[in-house]
Amino acid sequence: METYAIYVPRLLPQKDFFAPGHRACIGCGEALAVRLVTKTLGRNVIISNATGCMEIVSSPYPTTSWRVPWIHTLFENASAVASGVEAALKILNAKGKRGDSPKVVAMGGDGATSDIGLQALSGAWERGHNFLYVCYDNEAYMNTGIQRSSATPYGASTTTSPAGKVSIGQTRWKKNLPAIAVAHNIPYVATACPSYPFDLIEKVKKAVAIPGPAYLHVLSVCPTGWRHATDLTIRIGRLAVETGVFPLYEVENGSYKLSMDFPKLRPVRDYLSPQGRFRHLHEEEIDRIQERVTAEYEKLKKKAEA
Amino acid sequence: MEMIGMEGSHAVAEAVKLADADVVAAYPITPQTHIVERLAEMVADGELNAEYIPVESEHSAMSACLGSSATGARTFTATAGQGLELMHEVVYVASSMRLPIVMAVANRALSAPLSVWGDHSDVMAVRDTSWIQVFAENGQQAFDLTLCAFRIGEDPKVLFPVMVHLDGFHLSHVVEPLVLLEKSQVDKFLPPYKHPYSLDCDRPVTMGAFAMPAVYAEVKKAQHDAFLATKQVILKAWKEYGKLSGRHYSPVEHYHTDDAKVLLLTMGSFSETAMVAVDELRKKGEKVGLIRLRLWRPFPFEELRQAVANAEVLIVLDRCISFGGPPGPVCSEVRAALYAEQKRPKVVGFIGGLGGREIAVAEFKQMVSRGREAADKGAEAVPQITGIR
Ligand SMILES: Cc1ncc(C[n+]2csc(CCOP(=O)(O)OP(=O)(O)O)c2C)c(N)n1
């Protein structure tokens, strides 16, 4: 919260490394997050990007939105590619064949991160490669048309978990990727959301300053997939945080710290009701979600107080 | 250098060490294990100054190689059978993004049933990936061809990855007499690796952009043309290597072919057994010879046509089944290469040596007589399987 007290937009670097003109949808929270992350990282960075919305909207040959060295190869291997980049930089510097040490950053959507690419990411964490992995979590496979992922929240209707006469949509609770990251004993894990830009920026700075693997899980509001008005992106992100659906926190060397706490959380209904993907939910399911969110938030608070 | 006794796998590792590779990323699988174990040992002992990335899968092995090679590091990996299948998707990316990774493949059969033993099913599944692919017949060649692979792949006119195939167990695990090279000789032969567009903050590049239908075909045509053009560099590198080492390589190698009416064609370690069969048949006065396909990709059309021009029967051995298709991948490619020729031998295809099954000298002799018979009867189109009990 301290950073909010010095809210001075002029303190932000002017230069953007994710150029305008990309083909993201109107109101895309993911593109906004990428812009903030790359703005913070600056020019000395090499990015390894998984297949997904951000890769597709930014790189239709022969155009590119990337003003930093950027490599995309496949859907599930961004962290393995980043491992190779990091190892190469290390040895080439040691052998005097390169004289620079750019930061290495891998990025992907929630599908690339928590489903198909989880093994490669776990491997990279275990091996201790010094790079930041940023997951842009828009809670489904958006690039291929809003199919469910393991990060899709309970009750959301997607094209492969459609709400129907006998289904409420997604029947599983969202996979807790930050907790999986913490279980790897990596030095830095944090959640963020571009609705809180200064918090996000500070976390990116911290993540790349700490040697060793770092993981940043960014809630990326998606009007197209979540089915809400395109001018509500920032608002919905704030509601996710204010309701406790997506708490902002950091875990440094295993110790949890809430980035902001609320004396009283808003009811989850405030977050769910503007979104078409939850429109079909009955009171009973909303209550169930409320119960779960409250309990999870309490658990998190306990960890932060410990 | 003096002659020493060394396992094929270790000979490959020695070549990687002499090339002073920067990054090795690999996942263990029989029969490739001895290559990567030896490399890990070299790194642990400080004999090889490289980053060894013990990845969690072959998919990640090849992916890490992409990142490493794109960053400007000389990069090596090795795999076999299932491992090559698991990395399949990434194998295409390596060549299409023009990253000159070198990979040794200790050829292994594919599951199911599980078999750790050698055949060429794994190779054939990556046939069309635009990797330069060469076959070794013994440990010495595995060493030589691995060194040449770095030189060829990294040439600015090439920039394609290279696979060095050595048959699982028959080559990977057999100790043979061989001669290494001095580091000073290698340094003269192999210039430092420098990719013209590596990931560099002073010259940012976008690697791996996606292509709409309006450009995809042009990109692939350019890739195909560039791949065909690698042949000249391969020939030049092998010529220079010959001068350096006294060991000469060419895309199609001949053994008693000059006056041969019947020719065998093999790839890999079975070639040496086939040579013995040719010797024995020749002693009995039969005009038999052997063609060894050294360069599998790009396919050496011209050299093959010349090599078989005067033969009546060409007997091709495949160590892979193309289920429901033509006899075997090598045989069908050879047939296709000769189809438009005015004068061409009858081509008979044999499939054998699957899943580590031996093919002894006597069996090669049998193939010659069976092949000749089939050709005489005009039954050469019917695929034959050899060695089935
Ligand atoms: C091996 C493989 N399987 C499936 C796909 C198809 N595919 C491309 S992007 C994508 C979904 C991406 O979802 P996510 O990672 O959540 O990122 P988003 O597009 O939502 O940003 C899928 C399924 C692929 N490219 N490769």
Side-chain angles (χ1 to χ4, degrees):
Chain A
M1 275 309 273
E2 312 88 80
T3 46
Y4 285 85
I6 53 154
Y7 182 99
V8 183
R10 275 181 320 219
L11 289 182
L12 273 185
Q14 292 284 313
K15 198 155 167 48
D16 272 310
F17 295 89
F18 185 61
H22 56 71
R23 283 128 166 99
C25 308
I26 297 173
C28 175
E30 198 173 3
L32 176 58
V34 172
R35 181 176 164 217
L36 290 170
V37 168
T38 47
K39 203 185 235 318
T40 313
L41 291 168
R43 73 183 291 279
N44 283 319
V45 64
I46 294 176
I47 294 177
S48 159
N49 205 149
T51 308
C53 283
M54 286 307 101
E55 166 263 325
I56 287 293
V57 304
S58 66
S59 74
Y61 180 85
T63 64
T64 179
S65 292
W66 299 96
R67 291 170 175 160
V68 288
W70 179 90
I71 180 167
H72 156 258
T73 67
L74 292 164
F75 184 21
E76 65 277 52
N77 67 350
S79 24
V81 172
S83 301
V85 172
E86 185 254 13
L89 288 172
K90 211 153 102 188
I91 190 72
L92 293 177
N93 272 297
K95 286 179 163 180
K97 294 183 190 172
R98 256 187 102 126
D100 60 339
S101 24
K103 299 162 203 104
V104 181
V105 175
M107 49 179 71
D110 48 287
T113 309
S114 58
D115 292 336
I116 199 165
L118 183 58
Q119 172 182 319
L121 179 56
S122 172
W125 280 338
E126 178 277 318
R127 295 188 299 272
H129 292 282
N130 182 18
F131 67 79
L132 164 64
Y133 189 101
V134 186
C135 169
Y136 299 104
D137 181 5
N138 53 23
E139 304 198 312
Y141 303 152
M142 295 308 179
N143 183 50
T144 36
I146 326 173
Q147 295 88 12
R148 66 85 87 178
S149 79
S150 61
T152 301
Y154 177 88
S157 184
T158 72
T159 53
T160 54
S161 66
K165 288 193 185 114
V166 296
S167 173
I168 59 148
Q170 173 84 331
T171 56
R172 314 296 307 161
W173 297 100
K174 185 181 175 76
K175 191 191 272 188
N176 188 341
L177 237 289
I180 293 172
V182 172
H184 283 75
N185 288 320
I186 62 174
Y188 188 77
V189 176
T191 63
C193 174
S195 298
Y196 298 86
F198 290 96
D199 177 71
L200 172 65
I201 286 169
E202 288 308 314
K203 284 169 175 167
V204 172
K205 282 187 193 159
K206 209 158 166 181
V208 290
I210 292 173
Y215 178 67
L216 192 57
H217 193 104
V218 182
L219 186 73
S220 306
V221 178
C222 173
T224 310
W226 297 8
R227 299 171 213 261
H228 60 74
T230 52
D231 59 355
L232 286 184
T233 299
I234 303 298
R235 183 83 229 127
I236 300 265
R238 287 192 161 247
L239 285 167
V241 176
E242 290 167 7
T243 53
V245 166
F246 190 85
L248 300 183
Y249 59 94
E250 289 177 293
V251 191
E252 261 187 270
N253 295 313
S255 52
Y256 281 75
K257 186 177 152 223
L258 283 178
S259 308
M260 56 195 67
D261 193 7
F262 302 92
K264 196 170 175 308
L265 294 175
R266 293 175 73 133
V268 291
R269 180 187 307 278
D270 292 359
Y271 170 69
L272 303 178
S273 58
Q275 301 182 50
R277 61 176 174 159
F278 297 118
R279 186 170 299 140
H280 56 283
L281 293 182
H282 299 297
E283 287 304 313
E284 201 184 310
E285 276 99 31
I286 294 177
D287 288 347
R288 184 175 295 156
I289 294 171
Q290 182 66 66
E291 241 171 71
R292 169 91 176 193
V293 167
T294 311
E296 288 294 312
Y297 195 80
E298 284 311 311
K299 265 200 258 171
L300 182 68
K301 255 180 110 161
K302 281 222 179 69
K303 280 188 198 165
E305 282 155 11
Chain B
M1 295 278 296
E2 58 177 333
M3 188 165 279
I4 50 170
M6 186 176 274
E7 204 186 75
S9 292
H10 290 181
V12 170
E14 289 296 331
V16 175
K17 178 177 131 187
L18 280 164
D20 191 27
D22 300 309
V23 173
V24 176
Y27 192 82
I29 179 168
T30 306
Q32 152 267 34
T33 40
H34 290 190
I35 301 174
V36 296
E37 286 167 4
R38 183 75 192 99
L39 284 166
E41 227 168 66
M42 288 169 166
V43 172
D45 286 336
E47 278 178 53
L48 170 61
N49 188 10
E51 278 290 309
Y52 184 99
I53 316 180
V55 280
E56 80 299 331
S57 75
E58 286 87 355
H59 196 285
S60 285
M62 188 49 72
S63 298
C65 288
L66 299 180
S68 157
S69 185
T71 309
R74 179 166 287 160
T75 304
F76 177 81
T77 186
T79 192
Q82 304 311 125
L84 190 55
E85 292 299 296
L86 185 60
M87 66 167 67
H88 189 82
E89 181 191 29
V90 203
V91 168
Y92 270 93
V93 177
S95 48
S96 302
M97 287 177 68
R98 309 292 295 272
L99 298 169
I101 297 152
V102 172
M103 172 158 69
V105 181
N107 310 125
R108 166 176 161 163
L110 296 180
S111 289
L114 187 146
S115 164
V116 298
W117 290 277
D119 73 27
H120 293 168
S121 309
D122 56 357
V123 185
M124 296 308 151
V126 294
R127 186 184 65 171
D128 297 331
T129 53
S130 91
W131 278 61
I132 294 169
Q133 301 191 43
V134 295
F135 272 85
E137 287 158 19
N138 54 45
Q140 179 71 66
Q141 294 181 358
F143 171 82
D144 294 340
L145 294 171
T146 302
L147 263 183
C148 292
F150 287 105
R151 159 75 186 259
I152 292 164
E154 293 171 5
D155 188 297
K157 290 204 277 303
V158 174
L159 295 176
F160 278 102
V162 185
M163 267 182 228
V164 178
H165 295 293
L166 63 157
D167 286 331
F169 293 108
H170 285 105
L171 296 191
S172 63
H173 284 57
V174 171
V175 176
E176 291 179 278
L178 52 90
V179 184
L180 304 180
L181 287 183
E182 299 284 1
K183 178 81 176 107
S184 56
Q185 292 175 290
V186 173
D187 288 345
K188 258 184 250 147
F189 176 68
L190 184 61
Y193 167 49
K194 195 163 176 3
H195 196 286
Y197 311 107
S198 63
L199 295 165
D200 180 352
C201 300
D202 291 334
R203 247 181 7 147
V205 283
T206 288
M207 282 197 193
F210 86 92
M212 296 291 282
V215 293
Y216 186 87
E218 281 70 18
V219 170
K220 288 292 136 178
K221 164 81 165 53
Q223 180 178 347
H224 184 58
D225 291 347
F227 192 58
L228 290 177
T230 62
K231 176 85 163 295
Q232 291 317 313
V233 180
I234 297 170
L235 295 178
K236 188 161 165 269
W238 280 349
K239 198 167 174 185
E240 254 180 64
Y241 192 81
K243 277 193 211 137
L244 179 80
S245 65
R247 295 183 293 276
H248 302 272
Y249 294 99
S250 48
V252 170
E253 289 174 14
H254 298 217
Y255 189 72
H256 293 310
T257 54
D258 284 350
D259 60 343
K261 295 284 164 252
V262 179
L263 283 175
L264 281 162
L265 187 149
T266 51
M267 266 191 341
S269 60
F270 283 6
S271 303
E272 294 197 338
T273 319
M275 282 185 215
V276 178
V278 166
D279 289 345
E280 291 184 6
L281 290 171
R282 286 227 159 226
K283 260 191 218 139
K284 288 200 282 178
E286 295 192 40
K287 291 194 169 160
V288 179
L290 172 70
I291 298 284
R292 296 124 69 203
L293 218 49
R294 163 92 45 231
L295 181 65
W296 173 230
R297 280 294 184 276
F299 192 87
F301 291 99
E302 269 321 301
E303 291 86 344
L304 177 82
R305 285 174 191 139
Q306 279 167 20
V308 304
N310 296 318
E312 286 161 13
V313 184
L314 175 61
I315 298 162
V316 180
L317 175 67
D318 260 287
R319 294 190 68 186
C320 171
I321 295 188
S322 163
F323 296 104
V330 182
C331 184
S332 51
E333 295 215 351
V334 166
R335 277 214 179 103
L338 301 178
Y339 185 76
E341 298 303 289
Q342 291 300 323
K343 188 169 172 304
R344 58 171 194 232
K346 290 187 167 183
V347 180
V348 187
F350 278 89
I351 290 158
L354 298 181
R357 180 68 59 84
E358 296 296 341
I359 301 184
V361 173
E363 204 172 328
F364 272 107
K365 290 200 251 180
Q366 245 177 33
M367 267 187 255
V368 170
S369 54
R370 276 174 67 188
R372 196 184 260 156
E373 231 170 80
D376 285 349
K377 283 197 289 201
E380 71 270 17
V382 186
Q384 316 230 15
I385 298 199
T386 174
I388 296 294
R389 289 176 299 115

